[in-house]
């Protein structure tokens, strides 16, 4: 048995199984405890977060009126920290060579009927050009773990290639990286290559399930994987993105684990997670989600999003095209701040010429184009944003968090969203999307409270119309 200690560098102490199990019992016993739930909600209304134990009580709460209060509060926190903006990104799969044995992923080593593919630098140019032509400015690169086929040098070279491509008015301005847990030295190299966020999903925080789901390969090592974010921060990366794959293990366990991980990073490293992703298991080649019997309903998925938003108000929250349009729509106002659009989850997926064989990692549910997603968001009253300003202005890590927590960052986010949306409309949007977007920008500009910022943003937007690009606050 290990003692729970959020300040410990050891995975089994900052994600203590004993503490989680105790919380599970506690929340189960208190799911009708109106007095306790009211106390937690009162604390949550201060918008400074609640503990993992308190968050789980909210997740388990079985009182309909209190659940409505939970959703209303999540909406309020989302509005307060992120307004009506939704940041857009796309994944870019570099390679599906992988030496791990993850049982839920078709790229696992033993899957012999999936074609293996690693993009050459020329193919990356083609993929990124296609992504730029869609209008993307922010990518998340994905690669399997394979020191022979995808060594760190390959990842670094690919990042350099991506940043170097300037096609028409296009540019990738932020490359987030989702690669296997690695050494401090390699994290330092990624930092030097200019990455945005380092993303690594925990998959599940339950050590026993984790080891069963990852029977072979380096990913089998639970502690090495769980402590990766600490090493990333030791290597100088201060924006890290957490995630669990809901459906692998008991969702209550993993929900508690991810909040504990956020608490650990904030307490021990001084900076909490930049983002939290909430993927759910999907059907894929050689994988049948029916074998994972922990699938969560759409209702529970929405509640998880709301309770993470309440527990960690400052963190960005990401939902991908794994989710259907309907499911994405439901969680947008409960806490999601970033979504992908027009995604391809295969190696070479954006370029017809490189896509002869199917290498899809998982089924995409939302198959709309980026233009359709942008249009849909605006119809719902959101401002799609292609902003990457903070990372490029050096607003990362604790500097970013203090601006975010004091809610000062909104003075940048809102005009930046409008300016980057304007770029999108000028360069890539369909006439219908453009018409809706122009009206939205005109309306939203009026809501910028600071007169100087409003005047400058208006001027920059006119400059963008005249052909200039890349303004930011
Ligand atoms: Fe490899 Fe990642 Fe798939 Fe596991 S989840 S098999 S590490 S690509
Ligand atoms: Fe994100 Fe910073 Fe842009 Fe706001 S200003 S949307 S926090 S990059």
């Amino acid at each position: 048995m290990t003692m729970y200690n959020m300040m410990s560098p050891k995975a089994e102490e900052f994600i203590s199984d004993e503490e989680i199990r105790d919380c599970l019992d506690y929340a189960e016993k208190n799911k009708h405890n109106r007095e306790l739930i009211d106390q937690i909600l009162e604390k949550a209304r201060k918008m400074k977060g609640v503990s993992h134990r308190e968050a789980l009580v909210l997740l388990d709460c079985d009182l309909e009126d209190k659940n409505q209060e939970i959703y209303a509060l999540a909406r309020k926190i989302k509005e307060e920290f992120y307004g009506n903006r939704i940041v857009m990104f796309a994944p870019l799969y570099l390679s599906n060579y992988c030496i791990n044995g993850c049982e839920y992923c078709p790229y696992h080593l033993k899957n012999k009927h999936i074609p293996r593919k690693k993009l050459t630098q020329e193919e990356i140019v083609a993929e990124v050009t296609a992504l730029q032509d869609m209008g993307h400015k922010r990518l998340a690169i994905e690669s399997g773990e394979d020191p022979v086929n995808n060594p760190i040098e390959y990842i670094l070279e690919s990042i350099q290639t991506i940043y170097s491509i300037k096609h028409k008015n296009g540019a990738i301005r932020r490359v987030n990286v989702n690669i296997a847990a690695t050494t401090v030295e390699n994290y330092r190299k990624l930092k030097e290559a200019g990455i945005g966020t380092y993303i690594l999903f925990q998959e599940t925080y339950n050590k026993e399930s984790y080891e069963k789901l990852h029977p072979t390969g380096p990913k089998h090592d639970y502690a090495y994987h769980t402590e990766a974010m600490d090493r990333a921060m030791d290597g100088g990366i201060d924006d890290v993105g957490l995630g669990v794959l809901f459906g692998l293990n008991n969702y209550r366990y993993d929900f508690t684990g991810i909040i504990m991980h956020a608490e650990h990073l904030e307490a021990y490293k001084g900076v909490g997670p930049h983002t939290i992703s909430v993927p759910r298991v999907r059907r894929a080649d050689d994988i049948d989600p029916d074998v994972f019997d922990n699938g969560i309903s759409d209702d529970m998925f929405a509640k998880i999003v709301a309770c993470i938003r309440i527990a960690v108000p400052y963190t960005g929250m990401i939902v991908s095209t794994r989710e259907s349009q309907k499911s994405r729509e439901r969680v947008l106002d409960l806490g999601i701040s970033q979504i992908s659009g027009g995604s391809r989850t295969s190696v070479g997926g954006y370029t017809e010429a490189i896509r002869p064989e199917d290498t899809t990692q998982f089924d995409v549910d939302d198959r709309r184009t980026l233009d359709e997603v942008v249009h849909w968001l605006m119809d719902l009253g959101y401002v799609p944003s292609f902003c990457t300003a903070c990372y490029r202005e050096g607003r990362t890590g604790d500097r970013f968090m203090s601006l975010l927590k004091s809610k000062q960052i909104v003075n940048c986010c809102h005009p930046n969203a409008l300016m980057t949306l304007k770029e999108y409309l000028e360069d890539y949007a369909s006439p219908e999307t453009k018409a809706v977007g122009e009206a939205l920008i005109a309306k939203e500009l009026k809501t910028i409270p600071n007169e100087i910022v409003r005047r400058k943003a208006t001027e920059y937007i006119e400059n963008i119309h005249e052909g200039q690009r890349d303004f930011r606050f």
Side-chain angles (χ1 to χ4, degrees):
M1 204 174 279
T2 47
M3 280 294 290
Y4 171 50
N5 177 5
M6 73 162 80
M7 295 296 282
S8 167
K10 290 193 186 141
E12 285 177 61
E13 291 179 4
F14 67 78
I15 307 288
S16 151
D17 178 66
E18 189 194 4
E19 168 66 11
I20 296 182
R21 288 185 193 283
D22 195 55
C23 289
L24 296 178
D25 287 347
Y26 176 79
E28 171 64 27
K29 278 189 205 120
N30 285 296
K31 65 183 181 188
H32 295 118
N33 185 339
R34 193 168 283 277
E35 200 183 328
L36 176 67
I37 292 163
D38 273 337
Q39 275 170 22
I40 298 171
L41 280 169
E42 198 181 317
K43 177 177 171 189
R45 284 195 188 92
K46 297 193 175 89
M47 299 193 190
K48 299 209 183 306
V50 297
S51 70
H52 58 273
R53 183 173 286 255
E54 292 163 335
L56 185 63
V57 172
L58 296 184
L59 188 72
D60 279 3
C61 164
D62 206 8
L63 301 168
E64 187 44 32
D65 58 328
K66 293 295 139 194
N67 281 336
Q68 291 313 318
E69 279 183 44
I70 289 168
Y71 288 126
L73 180 58
R75 285 191 188 97
K76 197 162 170 226
I77 294 173
K78 160 78 201 295
E79 170 67 28
E80 193 87 6
F81 282 87
Y82 289 94
N84 58 351
R85 296 169 298 281
I86 302 287
V87 168
M88 309 301 302
F89 77 99
L92 172 63
Y93 282 70
L94 295 181
S95 169
N96 67 352
Y97 283 95
C98 192
I99 57 168
N100 285 311
C102 313
E103 298 213 328
Y104 47 84
C105 173
Y107 295 170
H108 65 79
L109 182 66
K110 289 198 185 125
N111 186 356
K112 297 297 177 206
H113 47 86
I114 193 164
R116 299 288 166 172
K117 172 86 191 150
K118 167 189 169 183
L119 295 180
T120 63
Q121 297 307 307
E122 291 70 33
E123 287 170 334
I124 291 173
V125 173
E127 286 279 276
V128 171
T129 305
L131 282 157
Q132 287 185 5
D133 281 346
M134 288 161 71
H136 279 295
K137 300 281 187 272
R138 179 188 286 246
L139 298 185
I141 58 172
E142 319 269 341
S143 171
E145 178 168 15
D146 186 330
V148 174
N149 287 297
N150 327 320
I152 190 74
E153 291 72 26
Y154 168 70
I155 305 291
L156 297 171
E157 189 188 359
S158 304
I159 295 168
Q160 210 179 15
T161 301
I162 295 167
Y163 278 133
S164 72
I165 303 162
K166 303 279 179 285
H167 175 67
K168 297 185 182 162
N169 280 335
I172 298 303
R173 298 170 179 162
R174 178 175 177 127
V175 178
N176 297 332
V177 173
N178 182 355
I179 60 163
T182 185
T183 58
V184 174
E185 193 191 333
N186 283 347
Y187 285 126
R188 195 162 287 124
K189 289 179 185 167
L190 287 170
K191 170 74 183 171
E192 282 161 11
I195 71 160
T197 311
Y198 172 64
I199 304 158
L200 181 68
F201 294 168
Q202 178 65 31
E203 323 297 7
T204 174
Y205 284 94
N206 182 315
K207 184 169 183 265
E208 206 186 317
S209 304
Y210 181 94
E211 287 172 348
K212 277 195 199 130
L213 288 161
H214 306 98
T216 54
K219 197 167 170 181
H220 178 75
D221 187 337
Y222 174 84
Y224 190 74
H225 189 83
T226 312
E227 292 158 12
M229 293 313 193
D230 294 14
R231 290 195 303 280
M233 288 187 168
D234 291 343
I237 297 174
D238 46 15
D239 287 347
V240 298
L242 304 180
V244 288
L245 187 47
F246 283 104
L248 292 182
N249 179 55
N250 178 299
Y251 70 88
R252 298 170 67 229
Y253 193 107
D254 283 333
F255 171 86
T256 314
I258 205 164
I259 308 288
M260 288 168 90
H261 201 169
E263 288 168 346
H264 163 72
L265 291 174
E266 198 169 2
Y268 184 56
K269 294 288 176 190
V271 189
H274 194 73
T275 52
I276 291 181
S277 297
V278 285
R280 282 197 275 185
V281 173
R282 293 277 305 157
R283 197 168 290 276
D285 179 76
D286 205 34
I287 306 297
D288 181 349
D290 295 343
V291 303
F292 301 105
D293 52 8
N294 290 294
I296 48 170
S297 66
D298 288 354
D299 284 348
M300 189 44 71
F301 181 63
K303 196 157 185 208
I304 287 172
V305 170
C307 290
I308 294 177
R309 176 45 68 230
I310 290 172
V312 198
Y314 59 81
T315 198
M317 279 183 78
I318 302 177
V319 73
S320 76
T321 52
R322 279 174 188 264
E323 293 297 326
S324 66
Q325 172 180 345
K326 191 164 152 245
S327 162
R328 300 217 294 173
E329 190 162 326
R330 185 160 176 207
V331 292
L332 280 174
D333 72 334
L334 292 175
I336 298 299
S337 60
Q338 269 190 49
I339 66 170
S340 46
S343 303
R344 297 282 181 278
T345 56
S346 55
V347 183
Y350 298 102
T351 325
E352 202 72 52
I354 327 176
R355 200 190 319 146
E357 306 148 313
D358 186 24
T359 59
T360 302
Q361 191 189 26
F362 58 84
D363 274 1
V364 164
D365 199 313
D366 187 343
R367 294 170 177 272
R368 292 171 298 166
T369 63
L370 180 62
D371 190 73
E372 286 167 337
V373 173
V374 166
H375 195 141
W376 162 73
L377 284 173
M378 295 192 297
D379 282 347
L380 293 173
Y382 295 102
V383 179
S385 171
F386 294 85
C387 179
T388 54
C390 282
Y391 148 75
R392 296 164 77 225
E393 291 290 318
R395 295 191 296 252
T396 60
D398 50 358
R399 205 176 147 225
F400 172 79
M401 283 301 173
S402 66
L403 284 167
L404 186 70
K405 287 179 182 171
S406 62
K407 302 191 189 120
Q408 287 179 50
I409 199 72
V410 294
N411 300 324
C412 299
C413 297
H414 195 51
N416 284 341
L418 299 179
M419 294 188 303
T420 53
L421 176 61
K422 176 68 176 171
E423 289 186 338
Y424 176 81
L425 299 179
E426 288 289 331
D427 293 336
Y428 309 106
S430 64
E432 302 76 37
T433 303
K434 190 167 183 198
V436 176
E438 295 291 359
L440 181 71
I441 291 174
K443 182 173 131 233
E444 291 287 332
L445 269 174
K446 293 190 190 123
T447 66
I448 297 177
N450 181 309
E451 204 198 317
I452 300 168
V453 176
R454 190 168 61 241
R455 224 178 316 122
K456 268 206 152 337
T458 310
E459 187 188 314
Y460 289 158
I461 282 175
E462 279 161 17
N463 294 341
I464 291 168
H465 179 63
E466 278 150 24
Q468 294 185 55
R469 294 290 176 270
D470 205 10
F471 296 98
R472 59 181 178 266
F473 286 92

